[in-house]
Amino acid sequence: MRASSEGHRVPDVQLAEMINGEVRAVRSAALLSRGRVILFALPGAFTPTCSTAHVPGYVSLLSEFKSADIADVICLSVNDPYVMQAWQQSEQAQGIHFVADPFAEFTKAMGMSIDHRESLLGTRSWRYSMLAADGTIEKMFIEPDEGDDPFKVSDAETMLEYLRPGRERLGPVLMLARHGCPYCQRAKALLTERGIQFETVHLGDGLTMQGVKAASGRATVPQIFVRGNLIGGSDQLAHFLGNTR
């Protein structure tokens, strides 16, 4: 198990980021001294777990982190800033601050470097997340030494549970909808009023009414799914939310 740096000041090394299409140098201590900041580090841009789970998890909970007075959420990887920018755009993760550790200086200073020579990736970061408060590391979640790339504790849910222990969360919400549909607008308003994050797939955006029927058994929109379970339309959603704290 890699050692935690809780209680220590963050390393002060040079990192890189893209700002208005230009590469800018930035000091890690400056980035992590702006109130309470989350940093999650991962092995590499466009790699499987990083793209399918790690980054999307922080994107989906970004508004909850902001409401918990988190000033910034930083994704860090041993890559160049051009790759990090392209990855951010690919992930549609504009609310997450993508920062490059091109020479692995921050990663090594944290004691989190790993040699991925056998995978032809070179020196990379072990997967972890941390919360810094004005430049001091308050909490770290470091993946255990199990296998090549474990992903158990550095996820967004674990960090949010630390920030808001015992919170009740509705879970992943998906809505199948149509642009201009008043019932769809009502369902969106119901979720937005409760501060519930949701994703929407609209008819015409790769979705047909046949697809709606195949997923829900119904040929009407909206159709709302919560944690993989069909709730139904806007009336059913209102009833469901009325029975949910």
Side-chain angles (χ1 to χ4, degrees):
M1 182 72 176
R2 286 161 175 75
S4 172
S5 299
E6 291 175 9
H8 294 270
R9 299 291 292 178
V10 298
D12 186 16
V13 301
Q14 182 173 292
L15 301 173
E17 59 184 343
M18 295 292 291
I19 299 178
N20 297 324
E22 295 183 359
V23 177
R24 301 282 181 88
V26 60
R27 302 298 298 186
S28 56
L31 279 178
L32 294 160
S33 298
R34 303 168 182 173
R36 300 185 89 198
V37 177
I38 292 170
L39 180 146
F40 65 100
L42 29 74
F46 296 102
T47 52
T49 302
C50 304
S51 293
T52 60
H54 211 164
V55 170
Y58 279 91
V59 171
S60 67
L61 295 182
L62 183 60
S63 64
E64 296 202 47
F65 287 129
K66 295 297 184 182
S67 68
D69 295 323
I70 296 299
D72 199 7
V73 178
I74 298 170
C75 173
L76 181 135
S77 180
V78 182
N79 283 109
D80 68 70
Y82 292 97
V83 168
M84 294 298 283
Q85 182 185 53
W87 190 31
Q88 179 187 41
Q89 293 170 347
S90 174
E91 291 290 315
Q92 299 182 20
Q94 279 64 39
I96 305 294
H97 192 170
F98 279 60
V99 178
D101 184 15
F103 307 110
E105 291 179 345
F106 185 86
T107 299
K108 291 176 181 177
M110 289 291 297
M112 293 293 160
S113 63
I114 181 171
D115 187 350
H116 274 300
R117 189 182 306 271
E118 292 183 2
S119 303
L120 304 179
L121 295 177
T123 299
R124 294 291 172 135
S125 175
W126 188 251
R127 199 182 295 278
Y128 68 95
S129 66
M130 71 178 188
L131 174 66
D134 295 320
T136 297
I137 300 170
E138 176 181 325
K139 183 66 178 176
M140 292 190 71
F141 295 101
I142 306 168
E143 295 296 340
D145 287 317
E146 299 174 1
D148 294 332
D149 185 22
F151 181 51
K152 296 181 177 180
V153 299
S154 61
D155 59 294
E157 284 280 358
T158 299
M159 180 62 76
L160 189 57
E161 178 62 25
Y162 171 76
L163 291 167
R164 290 185 165 174
R167 92 199 191 287
E168 197 170 302
R169 184 169 175 266
L170 190 60
V173 179
L174 173 68
M175 183 186 306
L176 307 181
R178 175 175 59 81
H179 291 293
C181 163
Y183 302 103
C184 302
Q185 291 300 322
R186 180 186 176 220
K188 292 176 182 178
L190 286 168
L191 292 167
T192 301
E193 287 166 5
R194 291 282 295 267
I196 298 169
Q197 296 295 301
F198 62 95
E199 294 187 16
T200 308
V201 180
H202 292 94
L203 287 167
D205 297 339
L207 175 69
T208 67
M209 191 55 78
Q210 283 295 101
V212 173
K213 191 172 182 180
S216 67
R218 305 170 187 177
T220 59
V221 290
Q223 295 299 329
I224 299 99
F225 297 82
V226 176
R227 293 190 295 268
N229 299 313
L230 174 65
I231 301 302
S234 57
D235 288 341
Q236 289 80 18
L237 176 64
H239 178 76
F240 174 81
L241 293 177
N243 293 314
T244 304
R245 275 201 304 123

